[in-house]
Amino acid sequence: MSIRVGIAGWSTFSSMARFLRLPVTGTPLARYATYFSAVEVGNSFHRPIRRSIYAHWAANAPPAFRFSVKLPQTITHELRLVGCQALLDRFARETDGLGEKRGPVLVEFPPDFAYPGESAVRFFQDLRARFAGAIVVDPRHESWFQPAVDQMLAELQISRLAEDPAHLPPAVQPGGWSGFAYFRLLGSPDIYKSRYTQENIEAHAKVVAALAARGTEVWTIYGNTTYGAAVQNGLELMEAVRALSGNNAV
């Protein structure tokens, strides 16, 4: 599956499904996974999640479903990539509970974390040694948006996500490794709240379809969850992509 659409978490889906009169059955995750092919797990950023919980989630999702998981903030915000091998091992063991349903590992940095050079290279080498799948970095400091950094990421097959609203202008476009693209759309003009217009949905669908046609795996995660707009926008995007590409496996 080269195109995936999902939401940051599945907790808001059930209430919106009733509002939209969507037929739903099963557990909250199973209901969500009936309509979407991916989800972003943000809780792993704040606290450890037991391997058994990940395994339970995997058991409640269909075979083709995938979870993106966020690296703990202890690694990125507290240790700032230094001396965190044991924590990486723990995170790998925990998320192994997802099995084949583990999707990309998300690495989010604080806004004041400038690119640290060799320590970043060593960290990403360690991370890549533990995770064979997609890795996506979310930097917030301008020093990360340099050709040399993009080249380093590309060599390790690590992508840089694109975000709206973007913390910095270059972040509106994905970077790093071109084999994987991850879009996180948080709502505009009001972050986490606003619903994207149909015009915006159709424009993004064209971007997604064009990237997929070049062989790039493309994820779009909607984070405008406060009032449930993410559910509507996700469904609208899938419909728009299908209309463009004739791809029913979105």
Tab-separated table of all heavy atoms in Angstrom, residues 137 139 145 150 159-177 180-185 204 207 211 214:
chain	number	residue	atom	x	y	z
A	137	VAL	N	11.960	12.151	10.736
A	137	VAL	CA	12.424	13.139	11.698
A	137	VAL	C	11.606	14.420	11.574
A	137	VAL	O	11.208	14.815	10.471
A	137	VAL	CB	13.932	13.421	11.501
A	137	VAL	CG1	14.201	14.033	10.146
A	137	VAL	CG2	14.476	14.328	12.594
A	139	PRO	N	12.284	18.007	12.830
A	139	PRO	CA	13.083	19.054	13.479
A	139	PRO	C	12.335	20.372	13.512
A	139	PRO	O	11.502	20.655	12.656
A	139	PRO	CB	14.317	19.137	12.585
A	139	PRO	CG	13.802	18.772	11.223
A	139	PRO	CD	12.688	17.790	11.435
A	145	PHE	N	17.628	22.350	8.395
A	145	PHE	CA	17.156	22.467	7.015
A	145	PHE	C	18.297	22.925	6.111
A	145	PHE	O	18.259	24.013	5.522
A	145	PHE	CB	15.966	23.424	6.957
A	145	PHE	CG	14.783	22.920	7.737
A	145	PHE	CD1	14.655	23.191	9.104
A	145	PHE	CD2	13.811	22.153	7.123
A	145	PHE	CE1	13.573	22.721	9.827
A	145	PHE	CE2	12.719	21.681	7.842
A	145	PHE	CZ	12.597	21.954	9.198
A	150	ASP	N	20.118	17.010	4.877
A	150	ASP	CA	19.251	16.215	4.007
A	150	ASP	C	20.016	15.047	3.384
A	150	ASP	O	19.486	13.930	3.273
A	150	ASP	CB	18.675	17.100	2.893
A	150	ASP	CG	17.260	17.564	3.198
A	150	ASP	OD1	16.767	17.264	4.309
A	150	ASP	OD2	16.649	18.212	2.342
A	159	SER	N	13.539	10.052	6.467
A	159	SER	CA	12.804	11.149	5.849
A	159	SER	C	12.566	12.272	6.848
A	159	SER	O	12.568	12.058	8.057
A	159	SER	CB	11.461	10.645	5.311
A	159	SER	OG	11.643	9.565	4.405
A	160	ARG	N	12.356	13.465	6.330
A	160	ARG	CA	11.939	14.603	7.146
A	160	ARG	C	10.489	14.926	6.803
A	160	ARG	O	10.143	15.088	5.636
A	160	ARG	CB	12.839	15.815	6.894
A	160	ARG	CG	12.343	17.084	7.590
A	160	ARG	CD	13.361	18.212	7.575
A	160	ARG	NE	13.962	18.453	6.287
A	160	ARG	CZ	13.375	19.095	5.276
A	160	ARG	NH1	12.116	19.524	5.404
A	160	ARG	NH2	14.020	19.295	4.147
A	161	LEU	N	9.642	14.987	7.839
A	161	LEU	CA	8.215	15.172	7.562
A	161	LEU	C	7.892	16.585	7.109
A	161	LEU	O	8.662	17.523	7.329
A	161	LEU	CB	7.372	14.787	8.774
A	161	LEU	CG	7.405	15.555	10.091
A	161	LEU	CD1	6.746	16.923	9.997
A	161	LEU	CD2	6.711	14.746	11.179
A	162	ALA	N	6.725	16.711	6.509
A	162	ALA	CA	6.171	18.021	6.138
A	162	ALA	C	4.974	18.289	7.040
A	162	ALA	O	4.209	17.371	7.363
A	162	ALA	CB	5.753	18.026	4.682
A	163	GLU	N	4.818	19.541	7.451
A	163	GLU	CA	3.789	19.854	8.437
A	163	GLU	C	3.058	21.141	8.065
A	163	GLU	O	3.639	22.067	7.517
A	163	GLU	CB	4.439	20.011	9.809
A	163	GLU	CG	3.478	19.995	10.975
A	163	GLU	CD	4.192	19.801	12.293
A	163	GLU	OE1	5.173	20.525	12.566
A	163	GLU	OE2	3.780	18.911	13.053
A	164	ASP	N	1.770	21.160	8.394
A	164	ASP	CA	0.971	22.369	8.236
A	164	ASP	C	0.108	22.546	9.491
A	164	ASP	O	-0.612	21.614	9.885
A	164	ASP	CB	0.060	22.275	7.000
A	164	ASP	CG	-0.817	23.499	6.855
A	164	ASP	OD1	-0.278	24.557	6.486
A	164	ASP	OD2	-2.033	23.396	7.137
A	165	PRO	N	0.208	23.723	10.137
A	165	PRO	CA	1.123	24.838	9.861
A	165	PRO	C	2.565	24.461	10.173
A	165	PRO	O	2.815	23.725	11.130
A	165	PRO	CB	0.631	25.938	10.805
A	165	PRO	CG	-0.740	25.527	11.234
A	165	PRO	CD	-0.735	24.041	11.232
A	166	ALA	N	3.478	24.983	9.373
A	166	ALA	CA	4.885	24.649	9.522
A	166	ALA	C	5.551	25.549	10.547
A	166	ALA	O	5.281	26.751	10.601
A	166	ALA	CB	5.602	24.775	8.183
A	167	HIS	N	6.441	24.969	11.362
A	167	HIS	CA	7.197	25.766	12.324
A	167	HIS	C	8.159	26.715	11.618
A	167	HIS	O	8.419	27.821	12.083
A	167	HIS	CB	7.975	24.848	13.268
A	167	HIS	CG	7.104	24.099	14.226
A	167	HIS	ND1	6.437	22.930	13.875
A	167	HIS	CD2	6.761	24.351	15.520
A	167	HIS	CE1	5.743	22.504	14.918
A	167	HIS	NE2	5.920	23.341	15.919
A	168	LEU	N	8.679	26.242	10.475
A	168	LEU	CA	9.583	27.039	9.658
A	168	LEU	C	9.176	26.856	8.197
A	168	LEU	O	8.682	25.785	7.824
A	168	LEU	CB	11.032	26.579	9.851
A	168	LEU	CG	11.631	26.779	11.257
A	168	LEU	CD1	12.910	25.971	11.397
A	168	LEU	CD2	11.900	28.262	11.508
A	169	PRO	N	9.381	27.860	7.340
A	169	PRO	CA	8.937	27.748	5.949
A	169	PRO	C	9.405	26.481	5.221
A	169	PRO	O	8.604	25.880	4.485
A	169	PRO	CB	9.510	29.023	5.303
A	169	PRO	CG	9.553	30.010	6.424
A	169	PRO	CD	9.915	29.219	7.643
A	170	PRO	N	10.669	26.024	5.401
A	170	PRO	CA	11.091	24.825	4.661
A	170	PRO	C	10.332	23.561	5.060
A	170	PRO	O	10.346	22.576	4.315
A	170	PRO	CB	12.584	24.694	5.007
A	170	PRO	CG	12.999	26.020	5.510
A	170	PRO	CD	11.790	26.610	6.164
A	171	ALA	N	9.685	23.573	6.231
A	171	ALA	CA	9.012	22.373	6.723
A	171	ALA	C	7.691	22.087	6.020
A	171	ALA	O	7.043	21.076	6.309
A	171	ALA	CB	8.782	22.489	8.225
A	172	VAL	N	7.292	22.935	5.084
A	172	VAL	CA	6.052	22.655	4.351
A	172	VAL	C	6.256	21.547	3.334
A	172	VAL	O	5.283	20.961	2.843
A	172	VAL	CB	5.513	23.919	3.633
A	172	VAL	CG1	5.183	24.996	4.644
A	172	VAL	CG2	6.488	24.432	2.590
A	173	GLN	N	7.523	21.225	3.022
A	173	GLN	CA	7.836	20.171	2.054
A	173	GLN	C	8.615	19.064	2.749
A	173	GLN	O	9.440	19.334	3.615
A	173	GLN	CB	8.680	20.726	0.893
A	173	GLN	CG	8.019	21.814	0.087
A	173	GLN	CD	6.832	21.309	-0.712
A	173	GLN	OE1	6.738	20.121	-1.009
A	173	GLN	NE2	5.925	22.208	-1.064
A	174	PRO	N	8.375	17.808	2.357
A	174	PRO	CA	9.172	16.719	2.930
A	174	PRO	C	10.617	16.801	2.452
A	174	PRO	O	10.901	17.396	1.409
A	174	PRO	CB	8.481	15.452	2.412
A	174	PRO	CG	7.752	15.888	1.176
A	174	PRO	CD	7.379	17.321	1.396
A	175	GLY	N	11.529	16.210	3.229
A	175	GLY	CA	12.943	16.227	2.877
A	175	GLY	C	13.610	14.918	3.250
A	175	GLY	O	12.951	13.940	3.613
A	176	GLY	N	14.932	14.900	3.195
A	176	GLY	CA	15.659	13.674	3.485
A	176	GLY	C	15.439	12.626	2.422
A	176	GLY	O	15.418	12.931	1.217
A	177	TRP	N	15.243	11.377	2.841
A	177	TRP	CA	15.064	10.269	1.895
A	177	TRP	C	13.749	10.424	1.140
A	177	TRP	O	12.694	10.644	1.731
A	177	TRP	CB	15.078	8.955	2.656
A	177	TRP	CG	15.003	7.742	1.777
A	177	TRP	CD1	15.776	7.477	0.691
A	177	TRP	CD2	14.104	6.632	1.913
A	177	TRP	NE1	15.410	6.267	0.143
A	177	TRP	CE2	14.395	5.722	0.873
A	177	TRP	CE3	13.097	6.323	2.827
A	177	TRP	CZ2	13.708	4.518	0.723
A	177	TRP	CZ3	12.419	5.122	2.674
A	177	TRP	CH2	12.721	4.236	1.638
A	180	PHE	N	10.090	7.871	1.087
A	180	PHE	CA	8.993	7.892	2.049
A	180	PHE	C	8.646	9.342	2.356
A	180	PHE	O	9.539	10.161	2.588
A	180	PHE	CB	9.405	7.172	3.346
A	180	PHE	CG	8.276	6.917	4.298
A	180	PHE	CD1	7.579	5.729	4.264
A	180	PHE	CD2	7.905	7.871	5.236
A	180	PHE	CE1	6.534	5.485	5.135
A	180	PHE	CE2	6.861	7.646	6.112
A	180	PHE	CZ	6.174	6.443	6.065
A	181	ALA	N	7.370	9.666	2.349
A	181	ALA	CA	6.918	11.029	2.658
A	181	ALA	C	5.833	10.962	3.719
A	181	ALA	O	4.907	10.143	3.634
A	181	ALA	CB	6.385	11.724	1.411
A	182	TYR	N	5.956	11.839	4.708
A	182	TYR	CA	5.016	11.859	5.832
A	182	TYR	C	4.515	13.283	6.005
A	182	TYR	O	5.295	14.209	6.248
A	182	TYR	CB	5.735	11.396	7.094
A	182	TYR	CG	4.845	11.000	8.253
A	182	TYR	CD1	4.584	9.663	8.540
A	182	TYR	CD2	4.297	11.958	9.104
A	182	TYR	CE1	3.800	9.286	9.625
A	182	TYR	CE2	3.506	11.602	10.183
A	182	TYR	CZ	3.266	10.258	10.440
A	182	TYR	OH	2.486	9.889	11.519
A	183	PHE	N	3.204	13.470	5.851
A	183	PHE	CA	2.575	14.778	6.014
A	183	PHE	C	1.747	14.767	7.298
A	183	PHE	O	0.909	13.879	7.488
A	183	PHE	CB	1.658	15.094	4.838
A	183	PHE	CG	2.372	15.286	3.530
A	183	PHE	CD1	2.629	14.213	2.694
A	183	PHE	CD2	2.790	16.557	3.127
A	183	PHE	CE1	3.290	14.389	1.489
A	183	PHE	CE2	3.440	16.743	1.920
A	183	PHE	CZ	3.697	15.659	1.098
A	184	ARG	N	1.978	15.747	8.151
A	184	ARG	CA	1.147	15.926	9.341
A	184	ARG	C	0.418	17.262	9.183
A	184	ARG	O	1.032	18.327	9.169
A	184	ARG	CB	1.986	15.920	10.618
A	184	ARG	CG	1.123	16.019	11.886
A	184	ARG	CD	1.954	16.217	13.126
A	184	ARG	NE	2.631	15.006	13.522
A	184	ARG	CZ	3.897	14.961	13.907
A	184	ARG	NH1	4.639	16.058	13.900
A	184	ARG	NH2	4.436	13.825	14.309
A	185	LEU	N	-0.903	17.193	9.067
A	185	LEU	CA	-1.729	18.368	8.786
A	185	LEU	C	-2.591	18.651	10.015
A	185	LEU	O	-3.474	17.865	10.367
A	185	LEU	CB	-2.591	18.124	7.551
A	185	LEU	CG	-1.804	17.646	6.302
A	185	LEU	CD1	-2.749	17.448	5.125
A	185	LEU	CD2	-0.700	18.621	5.954
A	204	HIS	N	-3.929	18.738	-2.013
A	204	HIS	CA	-3.049	17.771	-1.355
A	204	HIS	C	-3.160	16.398	-2.010
A	204	HIS	O	-2.160	15.681	-2.125
A	204	HIS	CB	-3.373	17.677	0.137
A	204	HIS	CG	-2.446	16.777	0.876
A	204	HIS	ND1	-1.089	17.001	0.966
A	204	HIS	CD2	-2.669	15.609	1.556
A	204	HIS	CE1	-0.516	16.036	1.669
A	204	HIS	NE2	-1.455	15.180	2.026
A	207	VAL	N	-0.756	16.178	-4.777
A	207	VAL	CA	0.611	15.981	-4.291
A	207	VAL	C	0.832	14.516	-3.927
A	207	VAL	O	1.841	13.899	-4.302
A	207	VAL	CB	0.891	16.888	-3.076
A	207	VAL	CG1	2.239	16.548	-2.447
A	207	VAL	CG2	0.848	18.353	-3.484
A	211	LEU	N	3.449	11.880	-5.844
A	211	LEU	CA	4.532	11.204	-5.132
A	211	LEU	C	4.401	9.691	-5.243
A	211	LEU	O	5.388	8.984	-5.486
A	211	LEU	CB	4.522	11.620	-3.656
A	211	LEU	CG	5.027	13.032	-3.349
A	211	LEU	CD1	4.706	13.404	-1.899
A	211	LEU	CD2	6.529	13.132	-3.598
A	214	ARG	N	5.583	8.176	-8.398
A	214	ARG	CA	7.035	8.087	-8.527
A	214	ARG	C	7.623	6.967	-7.672
A	214	ARG	O	8.844	6.800	-7.612
A	214	ARG	CB	7.688	9.415	-8.130
A	214	ARG	CG	7.283	10.596	-8.991
A	214	ARG	CD	8.365	11.664	-8.986
A	214	ARG	NE	8.643	12.164	-7.651
A	214	ARG	CZ	8.139	13.293	-7.157
A	214	ARG	NH1	7.287	14.016	-7.887
A	214	ARG	NH2	8.450	13.698	-5.943
